[in-house]
Amino acid sequence: MIHEDGELSGNTAKSSVVKSMPALIILAVVLALLLFYPPKQNFNLFYTPSQIAKGLVASGQSFRLGGQIKKGTIKQDANKLQVAFVVSDPQHNVLVEYQGVLPDLFREGQSVVIEGRLDPGVLCRRSGY
């Protein structure tokens, strides 16, 4: 309610605060849950060769590997559409065995993200995208 002097009465201000309290409480609870109980799912878009070397990926686990194709490591068997190459970061390398047609932009020194499965020390990708 507005008084003659143009000010709101206390009851109107209090009632709008009271009406918004449930929404504020729900928002606070959701934020607290997100801060203190983060989702157990991995939000990484990919693992680096250094993370693989640290053992963050179990053998047989499917995941994405990101890094650069190391120069001089691409070995192709054109008859079987098989390619082996090394993906590296500044500290570690991972050998990748790929079967399928390579993307047009695939070349040495290029950054890649590859989805596959970790066999002992080797990322295997069975078919192309």
Side-chain angles (χ1 to χ4, degrees):
M1 199 178 279
I2 300 177
H3 291 288
E4 291 176 10
D5 57 1
E7 290 186 27
L8 290 174
S9 70
N11 289 342
T12 306
K14 284 182 184 177
S15 67
S16 65
V17 169
V18 170
K19 288 179 183 176
S20 64
M21 283 302 264
L24 292 173
I25 291 171
I26 290 171
L27 180 63
V29 169
V30 168
L31 289 174
L33 288 173
L34 288 174
L35 288 173
F36 297 112
Y37 298 101
K40 296 182 191 298
Q41 187 177 16
N42 182 5
F43 283 106
N44 285 338
L45 296 177
F46 59 83
Y47 289 91
T48 64
S50 292
Q51 290 172 316
I52 306 281
K54 290 178 184 174
L56 297 179
V57 177
S59 186
Q61 177 182 343
S62 293
F63 69 102
R64 290 183 179 178
L65 170 68
Q68 283 194 325
I69 301 170
K70 191 171 184 176
K71 292 185 180 186
T73 64
I74 298 175
K75 309 288 186 241
Q76 289 185 299
D77 182 350
N79 295 331
K80 297 180 182 179
L81 292 176
Q82 290 182 331
V83 181
F85 56 93
V86 172
V87 174
S88 65
D89 66 13
Q91 290 85 29
H92 293 91
N93 299 317
V94 173
L95 176 62
V96 176
E97 294 175 350
Y98 182 89
Q99 182 176 349
V101 178
L102 292 171
D104 291 336
L105 297 176
F106 181 86
R107 63 181 168 274
E108 293 178 341
Q110 189 75 7
S111 294
V112 293
V113 175
I114 305 152
E115 188 172 352
R117 188 184 79 250
L118 187 65
D119 289 341
V122 179
L123 175 72
C124 294
R125 171 76 176 139
R126 297 296 180 215
S127 61
Y129 286 76

